[in-house]
Amino acid sequence: MLEASMVREGHWPHSRDQISFRSGDTSSLACYSLSPVSAESQKLLTSARKVAQKISPMPFKVMAAPELQDDFYCSLVDWSSQNIVSVGLERCVYLWSACSGKVTRLLDLSEDGNSVTSVAFNKQGNLLAVGSTYGGVQVWDTVVNRQLKMMQGHAGRVGTLAWNGNILSSGSQDTFILQHDMRMPSLVAERRLVGHQEEVCGLKWSPDNKYLASGGGDNCLFVWDLHSLSPLQKYTRHLSAVKAVAWSPHHHGILASGGGVDDQCLHFWNTLTGELVKCINTGSQITNLAWSKFSSPLVSTHGFPDNHICVWNYPSLRQLTKLTGHSFRVLHLAVSPNG
């Protein structure tokens, strides 16, 4: 309790003249305060300030990745909720434990003459989907290193994968998006989404798991829901392939997309209204996007001509930092489970 005493003219107050205020009732105290600073300003001055996170310009670890494909349309790195990094290197998939540093070879497609073109962990981090050049999608249990499923359906390479609970979405060079339900015994996709005219190279489910965003080599960005077989929304402002797609976890309905080498623009869409909210030309091919899990910044990775990584503040789009070090295109991006 905060106590304030009323002073009568000519004498100090008796105990019965004392008035008690609740600690939150600062407005009642304002008329008795001798400070020239208002209660609201005092609260602002004494509250804890957010300290801007410092981003080191140097990597804390560098790992060799021989035979990592220099292909814009592939997605060959992911980081699981169990702190395991998966990397597709030509015909093999390797797992690196960020906790122990142990490296494990999960699979090898050499016998079939096949190559790895995409990898994606489920939310729990125990299942890894692997797309390949021949159009197949394998699902592996990474806890026991055992293949659970081998699914067909695509007629071209599978360059992008996205999980939504038990649903696995795959995008392919054949222009289709297939939806597989892991609970079903069938090895054939339950749903086929038709809309893109060129290779599907970007897939992301919204934070509420209701909408799927897809980007393609046809320079188009589509938004689908769980039930329709045709897109709910179609955005055509990009002038090059749309691989970089990311939903904001902090702003409901906000979807970010980045264009390829002939576009280089970062767009922000309000999918609730279908309107373009913001746009900025980054000056380089945009290959990936990822929002911070706990604050507003957005990370973009780039190819020609700068081959760098940028961190942007949203919604101001002020560039917080630029990270350099890669000598070729930064084609793959994954965020650690702790953000």
Side-chain angles (χ1 to χ4, degrees):
M1 300 285 286
L2 293 178
E3 290 190 349
S5 296
M6 292 175 55
V7 181
R8 291 179 176 174
E9 185 176 352
H11 69 278
W12 292 100
H14 300 292
S15 59
R16 67 175 182 272
D17 297 317
Q18 290 186 331
I19 303 174
S20 296
F21 301 101
R22 292 187 176 88
S23 59
D25 190 10
T26 55
S27 60
S28 302
L29 290 172
C31 61
Y32 304 108
S33 174
L34 299 179
S35 172
V37 182
S38 69
E40 289 77 10
S41 297
Q42 290 184 43
K43 183 178 180 181
L44 179 63
L45 290 171
T46 57
S47 61
R49 292 195 318 172
K50 289 185 177 180
V51 179
Q53 182 181 6
K54 293 183 179 180
I55 302 174
S56 172
M58 301 299 294
F60 74 89
K61 187 173 183 61
V62 177
M63 296 181 288
E67 299 181 323
L68 183 66
Q69 295 185 55
D70 182 18
D71 193 326
F72 176 83
Y73 292 94
C74 295
S75 301
L76 295 171
V77 175
D78 200 13
W79 204 330
S80 80
S81 58
Q82 298 187 17
N83 217 9
I84 302 294
V85 175
S86 64
V87 184
L89 299 178
E90 192 62 30
R91 304 184 190 282
C92 300
V93 171
Y94 292 88
L95 304 178
W96 174 73
S97 171
C99 298
S100 66
K102 181 182 178 181
V103 177
T104 305
R105 187 173 70 177
L106 180 67
L107 63 90
D108 188 340
L109 302 178
S110 298
E111 291 186 5
D112 303 326
N114 208 347
S115 297
V116 178
T117 52
S118 55
V119 294
F121 279 106
N122 67 342
K123 184 177 181 179
Q124 292 74 24
N126 64 315
L127 300 181
L128 179 70
V130 180
S132 63
T133 302
Y134 293 164
V137 176
Q138 300 182 20
V139 177
W140 285 72
D141 184 328
T142 57
V143 177
V144 296
N145 293 351
R146 180 170 62 91
Q147 181 181 311
L148 302 180
K149 281 194 175 187
M150 172 64 186
M151 299 171 291
Q152 302 292 343
H154 285 296
R157 68 177 172 192
V158 178
T160 181
L161 298 159
W163 288 88
N164 181 4
N166 293 304
I167 304 298
L168 174 62
S169 303
S170 58
S172 171
Q173 195 173 30
D174 62 11
T175 75
F176 300 129
I177 300 169
L178 300 184
Q179 309 269 36
H180 298 270
D181 191 332
M182 294 296 102
R183 297 165 296 187
M184 304 299 290
S186 173
L187 300 182
V188 181
E190 283 70 38
R191 301 171 69 236
R192 173 180 290 197
L193 307 183
V194 181
H196 286 284
Q197 301 300 311
E198 299 287 342
E199 180 168 4
V200 180
C201 50
L203 289 176
K204 285 291 170 61
W205 282 97
S206 60
D208 60 8
N209 297 323
K210 293 181 179 180
Y211 301 99
L212 175 68
S214 65
D218 52 6
N219 310 344
C220 292
L221 174 68
F222 291 163
V223 176
W224 317 73
D225 70 7
L226 273 170
H227 309 292
S228 67
L229 296 179
S230 56
L232 301 178
Q233 295 174 340
K234 179 178 180 179
Y235 301 106
T236 59
R237 291 286 294 269
H238 285 291
L239 303 176
S240 192
V242 183
K243 177 191 178 186
V245 180
W247 293 89
S248 170
H250 314 294
H251 307 275
H252 182 58
I254 295 298
L255 173 64
S257 61
V261 68
D262 295 326
D263 181 83
Q264 305 180 356
C265 289
L266 179 56
H267 289 84
F268 295 86
W269 312 91
N270 185 338
T271 59
L272 304 180
T273 63
E275 297 176 344
L276 177 65
V277 178
K278 289 181 177 291
C279 177
I280 185 172
N281 192 316
T282 66
S284 291
Q285 176 190 44
I286 304 174
T287 56
N288 292 281
L289 293 171
W291 292 85
S292 169
K293 293 183 179 181
F294 307 113
S295 55
S296 61
L298 175 80
V299 177
S300 61
T301 61
H302 299 266
F304 304 124
D306 296 328
N307 306 324
H308 61 263
I309 301 168
C310 288
V311 182
W312 309 85
N313 183 58
Y314 184 85
S316 70
L317 295 189
R318 179 173 60 91
Q319 189 177 111
L320 301 178
T321 191
K322 180 186 291 186
L323 304 175
T324 59
H326 287 285
S327 54
F328 290 89
R329 295 187 292 176
V330 187
L331 290 175
H332 314 293
L333 172 70
V335 181
S336 64
N338 66 0

